[in-house]
Amino acid sequence: MLRLTELKLPLDHSPEALRQVVLDRLGISDADLLDLQVFRRGHDARKKNAIHLIYTLDVALRDEATVLRRFQGDAHVNPTPDMRYRFVGHAPAGETRRPLVIGAGPCGLLAALVLAQSGFRPIILERGKAVRERTKDTWGLWRRAELNPESNVQFGEGGAGTFSDGKLYSQIKDPQHHGRKVMEEFVKAGAPEEILYLSKPHIGTFRLVQMVEHMREEIERLGGEYRFSSRVTDLLVDIAPDGTRQMRGVALADGSVIESDHVVLAIGHSARDTFEVLRQRGVYMEAKPFSVGFRIEHPQRMINECRFGPFAGNKLLGAADYKLVHHGSDGRSVYSFCMCPGGTVVAAASEPGRVVTNGMSQYQRAERNANAAIVVGIEPERDYPGDVLAGVALQRRLEEAAFLAGGSNYHAPAQTVGDFLAGRPSTSLGEVVPSYKPGVTPTDLAAFMPDFVVRAIREALPAFDRQIRGFARPDAVLTGVETRTSSPVRIRRGADGQSLNTRGLFPAGEGAGYAGGILSAGVDGIKMAEAVARSMLGLGGEEAARRVA
């Protein structure tokens, strides 16, 4: 087959137009086109009065070789790449060793699945509950202001991505097409097939819950074992006379010990107590940049009209999103993060006495508001120097301040954009009704946020308004605080996937500083499953590369 890219058609094109555009592009007859498949569909909305769909198509032709020669040097006509997934290898008969996967978020889930498909029968340790029970606990915070520290938006089967927009796109480089493997497994588990071809696919929370359950069932069918409510409290590390460190297993909160010399550490960005354990056990970590700020809400209809003009409401376009960046006069970047069209701002705390926000959407993206985090990038050397966990301490300080400002009842502090820009506390809100549950308290967000964050966002909002008219409207709502944009640490690993100083420990995903979303976390989980398989099979780098090829 051949892959054709950048094929442009009107938004309202007929089904027959897709075939005709291929015939015209290649200059072939209808009889020469044997098959046509949509690989990717996106849209170009730069001209609001002339929005087009952009296609990537895979086509089967009667004489592909002749067409390829004719279009030699054309970057948009090439052979369709082979994107089939290839396993590193499979466990030998009688293999008794079992790898551990700590964490059942997207990273741990995909790592466990690939290990199970490879015959290694992983044991999955999740500190939280199964996804249905976890959902009930999460609603307990949203509806009754009751927080379960071990079962919430951050902890439990499915990870933080379960209560999100379910975005499945990423800017990571993926030459081995691991992302395709993630998507195909999601479809097998119940995701809509459109995620395989939409340029910005999403699933939504309710569908994610069902998918996570189906993937668990598949892992268990293949010999994997789940253990919920199993919080890791210590690492068992053997240290040889020459200083070499080797994983031997983990200790759990219930006092039990599980032995294993291959441990995938997919703990997520909020496992702060586990970060402390890693530091105490001497696992090499370093502080890394992250971002802090607020959630902002606007009417979704306004965003649709600003982005799509007369095409707002078109079913193919759906609810409009945005991506904004402002480079401030002080050198700091302010940007939108985790934009949730037609969604809600949700309580995402995982520790008592702290308030954290996040965003969530269902598949239909049909809620009245659009929301996104507006955050400021911060760096260890500049903003929280010293201890490797100083970033965690900063997050906690801001979350505690937000808890107090909200009324010490898990209500979130909120402020209108007009009041925020004017430097005055909000005493009431306007037409934009905040979606955060259990509720918000109008206040002055600048009173507890670092001055540089406040200055940077005050500078950025008018700049964003020039890109999206109404973005700085006075009654848009800011809700605080957004602190869990990414992990504040990186657990460094080598080319073989193992910790720099602890053999058998495979740091993975967002918590280790190697991913930033559902898709990239899933891809990293697959990579670490492959690294574990190579290690358990005794494959060196070159031999492993041959196996993959």
Side-chain angles (χ1 to χ4, degrees):
M1 298 188 82
L2 301 185
R3 178 161 291 175
L4 312 183
T5 60
E6 296 296 319
L7 295 173
K8 183 182 292 188
L9 284 169
L11 192 60
D12 58 352
H13 74 78
S14 66
E16 297 77 19
L18 207 55
R19 186 176 183 90
Q20 189 60 50
V21 77
V22 174
L23 302 180
D24 294 343
R25 177 72 171 84
L26 299 180
I28 59 175
S29 68
D30 187 77
D32 289 329
L33 178 55
L34 306 180
D35 190 27
L36 180 157
Q37 299 173 13
V38 176
F39 176 74
R40 183 71 43 81
R41 189 190 78 202
H43 63 263
D44 182 350
R46 287 175 294 181
K47 296 180 180 179
K48 287 183 286 188
N49 292 321
I51 296 178
H52 287 82
L53 296 176
I54 308 296
Y55 285 93
T56 295
L57 303 178
D58 289 330
V59 298
L61 308 179
R62 191 179 303 278
D63 188 355
E64 293 176 5
T66 297
V67 172
L68 268 180
R69 284 195 298 270
R70 201 151 42 85
F71 286 89
Q72 186 175 6
D74 189 325
H76 300 298
V77 181
N78 288 288
T80 298
D82 185 352
M83 301 181 72
R84 292 173 296 173
Y85 182 72
R86 290 171 171 79
F87 292 92
V88 166
H90 289 77
E95 175 65 77
T96 58
R97 295 175 300 167
R98 302 184 71 180
L100 299 182
V101 177
I102 304 176
C107 179
L109 183 62
L110 269 296
L113 180 63
V114 170
L115 286 170
Q117 291 172 337
S118 302
F120 287 103
R121 302 181 304 117
I123 298 173
I124 301 94
L125 304 176
E126 169 55 54
R127 68 187 295 167
K129 298 180 183 180
V131 68
R132 295 280 173 176
E133 299 173 71
R134 174 200 181 193
T135 300
K136 294 177 183 177
D137 291 333
T138 300
W139 280 99
L141 175 59
W142 296 350
R143 291 175 172 173
R144 301 185 302 276
E146 297 174 358
L147 172 67
N148 183 334
E150 296 298 331
S151 182
N152 46 62
V153 166
Q154 309 297 346
F155 300 143
E157 185 182 21
T162 303
F163 299 98
S164 71
D165 190 45
K167 299 178 187 67
L168 296 177
Y169 46 94
S170 174
Q171 295 180 334
I172 61 172
K173 295 181 180 179
D174 188 22
Q176 295 179 318
H177 310 301
H178 288 113
R180 187 71 176 182
K181 167 73 168 172
V182 175
M183 297 293 207
E184 289 174 348
E185 294 296 346
F186 283 175
V187 170
K188 290 178 187 177
E193 288 196 16
E194 68 186 28
I195 71 171
L196 294 175
Y197 63 82
L198 291 181
S199 63
K200 291 185 177 182
H202 71 282
I203 300 176
T205 288
F206 287 164
R207 293 196 181 199
L208 281 165
V209 168
Q210 297 172 359
M211 287 166 44
V212 167
E213 290 181 319
H214 291 157
M215 294 178 77
R216 184 212 314 159
E217 292 169 1
E218 178 66 6
I219 290 168
E220 291 177 331
R221 186 187 69 81
L222 294 169
E225 178 184 348
Y226 274 76
R227 299 187 186 182
F228 293 108
S229 300
S230 296
R231 180 167 57 89
V232 172
T233 56
D234 205 356
L235 305 184
L236 310 180
V237 181
D238 282 353
I239 304 177
D242 65 356
T244 303
R245 299 158 51 87
Q246 173 64 51
M247 283 296 301
R248 291 301 176 207
V250 299
L252 303 181
D254 63 4
S256 63
V257 168
I258 303 177
E259 295 184 354
S260 177
D261 54 8
H262 289 81
V263 178
V264 177
L265 190 69
I267 55 177
H269 58 40
S270 294
R272 294 163 171 174
D273 49 0
T274 310
F275 293 153
E276 182 60 39
V277 169
L278 295 170
R279 176 169 65 172
Q280 292 174 1
R281 288 291 165 257
V283 175
Y284 184 81
M285 297 188 296
E286 58 189 22
K288 65 172 277 294
F290 63 102
S291 302
V292 299
F294 314 114
R295 280 270 151 186
I296 192 167
E297 291 188 85
H298 303 90
Q300 181 63 49
R301 177 179 293 182
M302 184 198 88
I303 302 298
N304 292 344
E305 292 172 351
C306 288
R307 303 303 272 180
F308 296 150
F311 294 98
N314 185 285
K315 290 184 178 180
L316 288 179
L317 297 176
D321 63 4
Y322 57 78
K323 185 176 181 181
L324 303 169
V325 180
H326 174 71
H327 300 290
S329 57
D330 64 353
R332 295 184 186 273
S333 293
V334 183
Y335 61 98
S336 61
F337 172 80
C338 185
M339 196 272 160
C340 296
T344 56
V345 178
V346 299
S350 57
E351 296 176 330
R354 297 187 172 101
V355 162
V356 184
T357 63
N358 196 7
M360 184 181 85
S361 296
Q362 298 299 345
Y363 174 72
Q364 296 296 335
R365 290 176 164 175
E367 300 295 332
R368 73 173 74 180
N369 288 353
N371 78 79
I374 301 297
V375 293
V376 181
I378 60 177
E379 299 177 358
E381 299 82 2
R382 184 178 185 181
D383 301 310
Y384 53 101
D387 187 87
V388 69
L389 298 184
V392 171
L394 174 59
Q395 289 175 326
R396 281 175 164 159
R397 286 197 302 272
L398 296 179
E399 293 164 14
E400 289 168 0
F403 181 77
L404 294 173
S408 300
N409 55 2
Y410 293 105
H411 284 215
Q415 189 173 16
T416 64
V417 165
D419 288 340
F420 178 77
L421 291 175
R424 60 176 177 260
S426 286
T427 56
S428 62
L429 303 176
E431 291 185 9
V432 180
V433 179
S435 58
Y436 178 94
K437 302 297 183 184
V440 303
T441 301
T443 187
D444 182 7
L445 296 175
F448 63 86
M449 287 295 281
D451 289 343
F452 70 84
V453 172
V454 173
R455 287 196 303 270
I457 295 178
R458 281 177 175 163
E459 180 181 315
L461 289 174
F464 293 158
D465 192 80
R466 290 190 287 273
Q467 298 178 59
I468 298 178
R469 194 171 195 179
F471 199 86
R473 57 186 284 171
D475 63 346
V477 177
L478 295 168
T479 307
V481 289
E482 183 92 8
T483 53
R484 312 283 181 95
T485 53
S486 67
S487 177
V489 301
R490 177 170 287 111
I491 308 167
R492 290 286 300 279
R493 66 192 187 202
D496 61 359
Q498 301 185 59
S499 161
L500 289 184
N501 70 342
T502 307
R503 303 294 298 172
L505 183 66
F506 295 80
E510 285 207 49
Y514 290 98
I518 294 174
L519 181 59
S520 61
V523 166
D524 203 57
I526 293 174
K527 290 180 179 178
M528 290 305 98
E530 293 172 344
V532 169
R534 283 193 290 269
S535 177
M536 295 185 72
L537 293 170
L539 301 179
E542 293 183 4
E543 185 176 355
R546 287 196 296 271
R547 290 282 189 106
V548 172

